[in-house]
Amino acid sequence: MSGLCDGRVVVVTGAGRGLGRAHALAFAAEGARLVVNDLGVGLDGAPGADDPAERVAAEIRAAGGEAVAHGGDIAVSEVAASLVATAVETYGRLDTLVNNAGFLRDRMLVNLDEDDWDAVLRVHLKGHFLPLKHAAAHWRAETKAGRTPDARIVNTSSGAGLLGSLGQGNYSAAKAGVVGLTLVAAAELRRYGVQVNAIAPAARTRMTERTFADTMAAPSVGFDAMAPENVSPLVVWLGSSASAGVSGRVFEAEGGRITVMEGWRAGPSVDKGTRWSPREVGEAALKLLGEAEVPGMVYGA
């Protein structure tokens, strides 16, 4: 039986561990050829001593697949460009980009240093933008050359980006930005044969050890709902030709559950037809709020 991604070339960032590793292995199992990117840093972004990208690439090759490692910092434009170039030079094409790289520096807002803000926004948001930009430029050139691609981008947001999370103002802001970037990219890149979607995963990784402290231990028998491998089938499908027509959407994935997330849209409204006074607008706003749906609770609140 042929794989869902036979012949496709897939780049996965942050693929040395956790969700990224699970995604890379799942794509390879479905016949994709991989560029496995990981800078090899610690949970807080500090330099690490090992080479997880090569370790995962070797794991794929040992299982009979095709994979090369890329150890660069994808939040640097030239390095992000080299990520695309590695795929094209190695395999002759690029079909799917999975943006997954990231780390955490959690603090309550009053204790959050500017450097911690900048570092997290840099890896999560800029680290999505730059690979996306260079991949899109490649696919635009392909389209102009008469070779319209069947391309996919899968971005990684978070429930923190959709609802907020106490102690994660920097991470929540970055992940909310990923959703906005996804919507814009889906609209702009459609003409080049590119579909762009995002996931908001919940799984056991280095980044979620504290968040899911009570459920970290895998069950001895039965279904492990927090295994990162549970998220990867959705990512593989979104990254394949089978997802034709699906773009600009956000999916939540946890265990055996997937949910289409519905973002900001117009709720109750009133139009006076002229300028309000502050007292009038307050009365109107309270009435509208009484008719509106109650927002979801911020994580940790």
Side-chain angles (χ1 to χ4, degrees):
M1 181 182 296
S2 61
L4 195 64
C5 295
D6 278 353
R8 293 184 73 83
V9 173
V10 179
V11 169
V12 184
T13 71
R17 304 179 179 89
L19 283 165
R21 172 182 175 273
H23 299 341
L25 294 176
F27 271 109
E30 291 292 337
R33 295 169 288 174
L34 273 296
V35 176
V36 179
N37 164 267
D38 201 290
L39 187 56
V41 299
L43 178 59
D44 62 352
D50 62 344
D51 185 359
E54 176 53 38
R55 187 167 60 245
V56 173
E59 186 176 357
I60 291 171
R61 293 193 297 268
E66 296 182 59
V68 295
H70 182 283
D73 180 356
I74 43 78
V76 175
S77 185
E78 294 80 4
V79 178
S82 76
L83 185 63
V84 175
T86 297
V88 175
E89 292 168 4
T90 303
Y91 303 117
R93 59 187 297 138
L94 171 62
D95 300 290
T96 298
L97 167 65
V98 179
N99 283 314
N100 171 78
F103 57 73
L104 294 176
R105 292 189 184 178
D106 292 351
R107 301 283 191 281
M108 300 300 282
L109 288 171
V110 295
N111 296 320
L112 185 62
D113 292 335
E114 185 177 354
D115 287 347
D116 293 331
W117 174 273
D118 290 344
V120 169
L121 268 289
R122 178 183 182 275
V123 67
H124 286 281
L125 193 50
K126 190 177 181 182
H128 269 63
F129 161 65
L130 288 175
L132 184 156
K133 168 188 168 68
H134 289 291
H138 166 71
W139 288 321
R140 180 181 62 179
E142 288 290 286
T143 300
K144 290 183 175 180
R147 299 184 295 270
T148 301
D150 182 25
R152 304 288 187 267
I153 297 174
V154 184
N155 292 329
T156 305
S157 182
S158 168
L162 303 176
L163 295 174
S165 179
L166 295 187
Q168 294 188 308
N170 48 2
Y171 178 72
S172 297
K175 290 305 191 182
V178 166
V179 173
L181 177 63
T182 298
L183 300 180
V184 172
E188 290 188 356
L189 303 183
R190 183 180 297 114
R191 72 188 72 177
Y192 306 127
V194 185
Q195 294 180 188
V196 189
N197 294 284
I199 61 165
R204 183 192 309 107
T205 69
R206 292 192 303 169
M207 286 175 51
T208 60
E209 285 179 349
R210 284 175 289 180
T211 304
F212 301 124
D214 294 335
T215 57
M216 285 300 294
S220 56
V221 294
F223 177 54
D224 179 3
M226 298 311 298
E229 290 79 7
N230 299 330
V231 177
S232 299
L234 174 61
V235 175
V236 171
W237 180 77
L238 288 171
S240 75
S241 295
S243 63
V246 179
S247 195
R249 306 306 292 259
V250 179
F251 295 83
E252 192 172 62
E254 177 181 355
R257 176 178 58 85
I258 61 171
T259 304
V260 177
M261 304 304 289
E262 297 181 337
W264 294 106
R265 61 184 65 207
S269 177
V270 62
D271 185 354
K272 182 182 176 183
T274 188
R275 184 179 301 153
W276 300 86
S277 72
R279 189 179 301 277
E280 288 174 330
V281 82
E283 292 172 353
L286 290 173
K287 183 175 184 298
L288 293 175
L289 289 169
E291 300 169 358
E293 292 187 15
V294 177
M297 184 72 73
V298 172
Y299 287 103

